[in-house]
Amino acid sequence: MTQPLILASSSPYRRALLRQLQLPFRYADPRTDEKAKPGEDADARALRLAGEKARALASTYPQALIIGADQVAECCGHILHKPGSQARAIAQLNICAGKRATFHTALTVLDSTSGRQSTGLETYTVYFRPLSKAQIERYVELEKPYDCVGAFKVEGLGIALFEKLEGTDINTLVGLPLIRLTDLLREHGIDPLATPLKAPGAAS
């Protein structure tokens, strides 16, 4: 396998996860419009956007394997976003306290040489503890999860927000389910345990 590996994402969290596979890669921002289409459910939106992100970089990297990923989260009919501020993080956690939230994370691996692509979708459910206003405000003050969908960092103190987690791969919550990604990469001839990759210039 000589094609370089490209992550179509500017997320530092996805980059950190992909490094766990110890494969050389580069990353680039696909700059896609992530708005939902009318009547589009969470699964369909995540799958569509993962594919669009990968394809957006195909002309820039015409002989590469490009990984696109997208995540849509929902709780009680509310779509959860990256809050961007303290006030919105608190408001989002107030909605979720004592309730269940579901995260839909989609993957596309695109061979930009042949146009062949593989896709996958992982769903992960978190059950929030009943949380007081003081607990929520304290959590947000300590961890400042403003750039995280759902307003928490499960890899940090955010784990204390939950009663129970359900799913195959906890990395789904961070935005890059590595178990499914490993399966998709193997479909394209890359096994992190066996196959050396050509470094795409400077490795990430």
Side-chain angles (χ1 to χ4, degrees), residues 3 8 12 30 44 62 66-67 74 76-77 86 105 113 116 145 149 164 168 171 178-179 182 186 190 194 197-198:
Q3 291 167 291
I66 305 172
I67 300 168
E74 53 187 347
C76 300
Q86 182 182 39
T105 304
T113 303
R116 178 188 169 212
V149 171
K164 183 170 66 170
T168 301
N171 297 308
L178 294 180
I179 294 173
T182 299
R186 284 175 175 149
I190 297 176
L197 281 178
K198 176 184 177 182

Side-chain angles (χ1 to χ4, degrees), residues 17-199:
L17 286 177
L18 186 53
R19 289 189 190 105
Q20 290 182 218
L21 298 184
Q22 299 189 32
L23 298 169
F25 71 94
R26 295 183 69 180
Y27 65 91
D29 188 343
R31 300 183 182 279
T32 52
D33 183 352
E34 299 190 23
K35 292 179 182 177
K37 293 187 175 181
E40 188 175 45
D41 66 19
D43 285 355
R45 178 183 172 188
L47 284 164
R48 174 178 62 82
L49 290 174
E52 288 181 0
K53 289 176 181 180
R55 291 187 293 273
L57 296 182
S59 60
T60 304
Y61 300 97
Q63 295 182 313
L65 280 182
I66 305 172
I67 300 168
D70 191 76
Q71 182 183 75
V72 179
E74 53 187 347
C75 178
C76 300
H78 297 273
I79 296 297
L80 306 179
H81 300 283
K82 296 177 182 178
S85 72
Q86 182 182 39
R88 285 193 289 269
I90 291 170
Q92 197 159 191
L93 289 173
N94 275 320
I95 290 171
C96 294
K99 300 182 180 68
R100 179 182 68 185
T102 303
F103 289 71
H104 310 263
T105 304
L107 292 169
T108 292
V109 176
L110 170 68
D111 182 335
S112 59
T113 303
S114 66
R116 178 188 169 212
Q117 68 178 40
S118 302
T119 61
L121 179 73
E122 289 292 324
T123 300
Y124 208 93
T125 302
V126 300
Y127 295 80
F128 283 85
R129 297 178 185 278
L131 297 164
S132 69
K133 181 175 181 288
Q135 286 175 314
I136 289 171
E137 290 178 353
R138 178 64 173 159
Y139 170 70
V140 171
E141 177 187 0
L142 288 171
E143 199 141 65
K144 298 178 174 56
Y146 308 145
D147 61 345
C148 300
V149 171
F152 64 82
K153 297 182 182 182
V154 71
E155 67 276 29
L157 181 60
I159 195 68
L161 301 173
F162 307 124
E163 290 183 335
K164 183 170 66 170
L165 306 175
E166 288 182 347
T168 301
D169 185 347
I170 196 170
N171 297 308
T172 302
L173 294 178
V174 187
L176 196 71
L178 294 180
I179 294 173
R180 180 60 68 91
L181 177 59
T182 299
D183 292 339
L184 298 182
L185 290 174
R186 284 175 175 149
E187 291 180 18
H188 291 266
I190 297 176
D191 182 348
L193 298 177
T195 306
L197 281 178
K198 176 184 177 182

